[in-house]
Amino acid sequence: MARHYNLPWRTSSHLGGAKTFDAQAGYESATTMSAVLHSGANYIWHSAGWNEAGMHCSVAKFVVDAEQCAMAYRMAEGPKWDDFDQALTAIPDVGPGGHYLGHPHTLENFQKAYFMPELFDNNSVEQWQAEGALDTTKRALNHARRLLSEYQEPKLDEAKDEALRDYIARREQEIPAADELNQSY
């Protein structure tokens, strides 16, 4: 209906019934994200970490889902044509039978064209084993710990902070207690 009436709409993704961060959770997340991405949602809500239909949140799944959301965002942007003329100049350089993988234009621009996930491992099994044989959950939890240890609270203007705290204090006095809602109002 939103598309029919040209209205923005919100939805959810990365949801499912899995109880742990396992293959089921991954498949359900991928399927729901694909549906949301292809339907053209304007705002995607509840799209990271949810298991068991939102009954609990997995920290490991949260950081992996966040990375997948970033990849989906990149995919939704579509092809980038800003360097098309520059790319065409590579054709005579490569010539018939050649390849573009080692061309300077490719090396300078491939990271803009592709999304390279940090939490997935694409090394050989030997390299994976040499680096500790960490599965996705362990890599995700290590990443989450690193994010938390490196977090720096953004500075808020002191006057705005004071105004917000005054507003909160005032609203706490104005809003009735939960047990009064159906009695007095």
Side-chain angles (χ1 to χ4, degrees):
M1 293 302 289
R3 289 292 156 250
H4 177 77
Y5 290 108
N6 198 28
L7 297 170
W9 65 284
R10 72 164 279 284
T11 189
S12 301
S13 76
H14 287 83
L15 300 171
K19 311 309 178 265
T20 64
F21 183 34
D22 60 3
Q24 178 183 339
Y27 286 125
E28 288 172 340
S29 291
T31 303
T32 58
M33 180 51 121
S34 178
V36 165
L37 185 63
H38 287 96
S39 64
N42 300 92
Y43 185 73
I44 304 169
W45 192 254
H46 300 302
S47 54
W50 297 107
N51 274 332
E52 196 180 359
M55 296 301 290
H56 72 90
C57 182
S58 160
V59 172
K61 187 174 184 303
F62 187 94
V63 295
V64 171
D65 285 348
E67 186 173 74
Q68 293 299 294
C69 286
M71 181 168 51
Y73 181 82
R74 172 61 192 94
M75 288 172 49
E77 288 178 321
K80 296 186 186 257
W81 299 100
D82 57 327
D83 69 335
F84 184 69
D85 291 335
Q86 182 186 5
L88 287 177
T89 64
I91 294 172
D93 292 347
V94 172
H99 68 83
Y100 295 89
L101 297 177
H103 191 275
H105 177 267
T106 304
L107 296 173
E108 289 174 24
N109 295 285
F110 83 94
Q111 288 185 332
K112 288 191 318 186
Y114 299 104
F115 184 91
M116 307 295 278
E118 295 177 21
L119 297 175
F120 289 173
D121 186 303
N122 293 305
N123 291 323
S124 67
V125 68
E126 294 83 8
Q127 184 67 34
W128 175 72
Q129 289 171 336
E131 293 176 359
L134 301 178
D135 64 15
T136 304
T137 300
K138 289 176 185 162
R139 283 192 306 276
L141 289 173
N142 288 342
H143 181 70
R145 286 183 191 103
R146 189 170 45 256
L147 289 173
L148 290 171
S149 71
E150 295 172 358
Y151 176 76
Q152 293 181 0
E153 183 178 353
K155 298 296 178 202
L156 182 63
D157 177 80
E158 287 187 33
K160 288 182 182 179
D161 186 44
E162 188 175 325
L164 286 169
R165 290 181 188 279
D166 288 344
Y167 175 79
I168 292 168
R170 188 175 68 252
R171 292 301 291 154
E172 285 175 342
Q173 296 299 317
E174 296 170 355
I175 296 174
D179 59 349
E180 294 180 24
L181 285 176
N182 292 324
Q183 307 301 319
S184 306
Y185 299 92

